[in-house]
Amino acid sequence: AQKITQTQPGMFVQEKEAVTLDCTYDTSDQSYGLFWYKQPSSGEMIFLIYQGSYDEQNATEGRYSLNFQKARKSANLVISASQLGDSAMYFCAMREISNFGNEKLTFGTGTRLTIIP
Amino acid sequence: DAGVTQSPTHLIKTRGQQVTLRCSPKSGHDTVSWYQQALGQGPQFIFQYYEEEERQRGNFPDRFSGHQFPNYSSELNVNALLLGDSALYLCASSLDKFSPLHFGNGTRLTVT
């Protein structure tokens, strides 16, 4: 069974600093995808970044980058130059990719990030 | 281009009642998934619909059922509500198995 572990329940970071949110995963599948979502207090899950298990380069999307270390089974999210609007819950999630079109996501427990002015 | 839309946004029900939540997927998406997010937890997969059929199901009892219509919209039904069913219910849609899931704003269900 797939499992996602996020060991940081909460983090406080000074505005404009970079922050790394940790995520480790466990799966026996060879083909899978890793996602990060942001959830503000409004409840909407906002997609941030995606990394496929066969992607050789780390994914980047604007201020977000994913530090993918396959051998260590980690997929940490790095946010550069943090902003007050980055304060939210952040979830790491994994999806197995199969020929049957399985799109189920397994989520971690989340990290609450608070940006301090 | 409208994203995933869910209704209602909030709902209060009494134990034993039944509830129906609705979801319209993002334009062009034909697969709809439902997730339950209890307070302080990550979302848990309930089930997924594709071509009007349930394709995959998580560890949820039969009290949770769903439907997908020809226009790809979907409903989640929960019968015999329990206090523990109180949660944020999220609907998500995707273009294909390699694309990210796009979520709606959710329906917050409170069971009293």
Side-chain angles (χ1 to χ4, degrees), chain A residues 35 37 39 42-45 47 50 91 95 97-105 107-109, chain B residues 31 35 37 40-43 45 48 55-56 88 90 94 96-101 103-105:
Chain A
F35 300 79
Y37 283 87
Q39 188 176 42
S42 60
E44 182 186 6
M45 295 287 281
F47 166 72
Y50 168 79
F91 289 97
R95 176 173 74 191
I97 301 173
S98 72
N99 292 330
F100 303 102
N102 183 337
E103 297 169 9
K104 165 191 170 185
L105 286 183
F107 283 84
T109 53
Chain B
T31 302
Y35 288 79
Q37 186 178 18
Q41 303 291 320
F45 175 75
Q48 179 186 91
R55 183 159 67 178
Q56 191 182 12
L88 179 67
L90 294 162
S94 61
D96 54 47
K97 62 184 179 183
F98 299 104
S99 302
L101 266 66
F103 286 82
N105 288 346

